[in-house]
Amino acid sequence: MKRHLPPYVYAKGKRGYLYFVRGSICERIKSNPGTPEFAADYARLLRGRSMAPRRTISKLIDEFMSSPKWAGYAFNTRRSHERHLAYIRDVAGHVDPSQLRTVHVYEMRDALADKPTDANRKLDTLAALLNHGKRIGWLDGNPAQGVERLKPTGRKRRPWPVDLIEAFRANASGRTLLLFELLLGTGQRIGDVLDLRWSDLDEDGFTITQGKTKTELYIPLTDRLRRVLAAETKKGFFIVCHPDGSRISYQLAHKNIMAVRREIGAEAYDIHGLRYAAASEIAAIPGMTSEHVKAITGHADAAMIRLYAGAAVQKARAQEAQKARTDKDSTKREL
């Protein structure tokens, strides 16, 4: 039977897909025989030039997760990105990233509009992924850059009120109370508090390098935190630890804190709210400025400082203003 295909081209499988097989090259030809595209593919393969692997978002995710940038992320940042990258891989893993346009990013955002916070976090992850694509030469631009975030519709995070702080202290004990006091006393993120070692502590405070921002801070001890730590028995390298001295996980820390939150009716106030509480307490003290808040929280962005301490600053300034008005009226009456 006369062969109708050119040399080295064979039909394989039930569907009869065409493959060029010669030496070390075995590559499918997707164009149809007799077309200019087929002639170009065939000529290229005869010259021994295999087609470059097709770039996809799924492959870009693999590249991103094996990069030095990824290795430098804090544990909780990687875990958050992993969750959102799994979604991106599922819905667009087959897409060539160079074909992605800003309109497609908006379409993804709008499809998740019923959960705006989750949508915004996925946008942040996508932007980081595509920035990596630019870094390694897969993309010339980042279509996720500048895409407007959705306005959150959920509850606003608030600092813990004084009565619930005291209620937690009255109902918690052991490792849970120690963790609570460290969170409130240092004003740091949960991951950084769980990473604290006894070697980070001197007589007056902690030396900390924040996992998320890599900011180096020295956090002096409050009197309460000094007493709490002085009463604690060292079991290993980590301050908050299992009985064998090993570091506890975020999941266990959250479980321990949540148990007491439920007991005292503080479900609306989460772990991160203790960082807000520390910033708010500082901001409410007369004479304290955003620089004082920054010195404890490590925030470089003024907008974030306002988010954490803005309400307390407003209240303190309002009290000063009303006091000044009262003092002015008293002076007039005396005259």
Side-chain angles (χ1 to χ4, degrees), residues 8 25 69 121 181 213 269 293:
Y8 313 113
I25 297 177
K69 177 75 172 178
R121 288 174 179 167
E181 295 291 2
T213 65
Y269 299 90
V293 176

Side-chain angles (χ1 to χ4, degrees), residues 99-316:
Q99 301 302 308
L100 199 62
R101 299 290 179 264
T102 300
V103 64
H104 302 138
V105 180
Y106 273 106
E107 287 171 356
M108 183 193 82
R109 184 204 71 172
D110 294 344
L112 300 166
D114 59 326
K115 295 181 179 179
T117 299
D118 184 60
N120 291 339
R121 288 174 179 167
K122 284 180 170 56
L123 285 178
D124 291 338
T125 295
L126 180 60
L129 173 67
L130 298 180
N131 271 337
H132 181 71
K134 284 178 59 179
R135 191 176 300 114
I136 64 175
W138 285 27
L139 297 168
D140 293 327
N142 186 341
Q145 204 72 45
V147 171
E148 297 173 31
R149 272 42 181 170
L150 295 173
K151 185 176 180 180
T153 57
R155 65 178 178 83
K156 183 178 179 182
R157 180 174 276 139
R158 296 175 292 171
W160 283 58
V162 174
D163 61 332
L164 287 180
I165 290 174
E166 293 306 320
F168 194 102
R169 285 168 170 163
N171 287 269
S173 61
R175 184 179 66 205
T176 303
L177 181 59
L178 172 64
L179 175 58
F180 182 86
E181 295 291 2
L182 283 167
L183 288 163
L184 185 61
T186 66
Q188 300 305 300
R189 299 176 182 86
I190 178 66
D192 293 325
V193 170
L194 294 177
D195 284 340
L196 284 176
R197 298 169 179 251
W198 289 106
S199 58
D200 297 325
L201 178 65
D202 62 23
E203 291 183 359
D204 297 311
F206 287 106
T207 299
I208 295 173
T209 299
Q210 293 183 323
K212 182 175 182 178
T213 65
K214 308 306 178 188
T215 302
E216 294 185 5
L217 299 172
Y218 182 78
I219 308 296
L221 299 176
T222 62
D223 288 342
R224 173 181 286 274
L225 191 51
R226 188 187 301 276
R227 292 193 299 272
V228 168
L229 290 169
E232 189 67 20
T233 302
K234 297 181 183 179
K235 303 180 185 70
F237 294 119
F238 296 98
I239 296 178
V240 182
C241 62
H242 290 285
D244 64 0
S246 60
R247 180 189 186 279
I248 72 168
S249 67
Y250 168 80
Q251 289 82 358
L252 181 57
H254 180 273
K255 179 181 178 181
N256 292 160
I257 294 287
M258 178 56 84
V260 182
R261 285 168 59 197
R262 290 196 181 100
E263 187 177 349
I264 65 174
E267 292 94 331
Y269 299 90
D270 62 11
I271 288 177
H272 205 69
L274 293 169
R275 184 160 155 83
Y276 277 62
S280 297
E281 182 183 355
I282 296 166
I285 300 171
M288 293 294 99
T289 67
S290 60
E291 288 300 311
H292 293 94
V293 176
K294 174 182 173 181
I296 295 297
T297 65
H299 282 112
D301 187 347
M304 287 302 297
I305 294 174
R306 287 194 297 272
L307 175 64
Y308 274 66
V313 170
Q314 184 275 324
K315 182 178 179 180

Side-chain angles (χ1 to χ4, degrees), residues 52-64:
R54 180 170 174 262
R55 291 171 177 173
T56 64
I57 286 179
S58 186
K59 290 178 181 177
L60 181 58
I61 290 172
D62 293 337
E63 290 279 344
F64 183 37

